[in-house]
Amino acid sequence: MTDCIFCRIVRGEAPCGKIYEDDRVLSFLDIGPINPGHTLVIPKAHYATLFEAAPEDLCACIAVAEKIAVAVFGAMGAGGLNLLQNNLRPAGQRVDHIHFHLIPRHVGDGFFPNWPAKSYGPGEMEKVLERIKARL
Ligand code: AMP
Ligand code: ZN
């Protein structure tokens, strides 16, 4: 896509702090890091979200993400690391080219700790299961 910032980075038309590149995948530093070393892994092909992405590109991204996660974790002296992937605005997606965040974490860094867990009412879990499985 011509006006997609991540496609422009893939084509070399916009700068990035490149970490890794192969035929399918590109990885670079996030310019607005939650913590230093916050890294993005993207397929070179343009897909807006997880829902459209080709399995081959997703698999390639995850394989690369695993290697880079180990490097980021070690290099930043992190105590933990989040792999995060947002889809659509209600989930916090701002760039409409699928990307995986690798976020090195430190105790007390102020990013989300654990979310406030809800619970299922009586029979609700079974209904949810039925609705999801009916679409597979
Ligand atoms: P999301 O909210 O999951 O869509 O995250 C988009 C991420 O892309 C944000 O963390 C931004 O800081 C990051 N970002 C946006 N533009 C660029 C860019 N040109 N280079 C690197 N990271 C970017
Ligand atoms: Zn794109």
Side-chain angles (χ1 to χ4, degrees):
M1 277 184 80
T2 45
D3 58 346
C4 168
I5 179 59
F6 287 178
C7 284
R8 291 182 60 224
I9 289 173
V10 168
R11 292 195 299 268
E13 295 167 7
C16 75
K18 190 190 295 185
I19 293 175
Y20 173 87
E21 179 174 19
D22 64 27
D23 286 352
R24 286 184 181 271
V25 180
L26 180 66
S27 179
F28 50 95
L29 289 176
D30 193 301
I31 43 162
I34 286 170
N35 285 316
H38 180 163
T39 296
L40 301 177
V41 178
I42 70 168
K44 287 185 169 178
H46 180 92
Y47 308 103
T49 71
L50 181 67
F51 309 134
E52 300 89 26
E56 297 78 12
D57 281 322
L58 291 176
C59 290
C61 282
I62 292 297
V64 167
E66 189 265 345
K67 284 188 171 50
I68 293 174
V70 171
V72 167
F73 180 76
M76 304 319 296
L81 183 139
N82 291 109
L83 170 62
L84 186 67
Q85 197 273 308
N86 301 324
N87 296 287
L88 304 176
R89 296 292 175 270
Q93 183 176 14
R94 290 163 292 173
V95 175
D96 294 332
H97 180 132
I98 185 174
H99 50 281
F100 297 85
H101 294 262
L102 296 172
I103 307 164
R105 299 295 307 280
H106 307 276
V107 173
D109 64 12
F111 190 45
F112 72 85
N114 290 106
W115 50 81
K118 295 176 180 164
S119 58
Y120 288 107
E124 193 183 353
M125 188 181 269
E126 289 74 14
K127 284 187 187 141
V128 168
L129 277 173
E130 273 173 30
R131 286 171 61 181
I132 295 171
K133 285 157 85 173
R135 288 174 180 254
L136 289 177

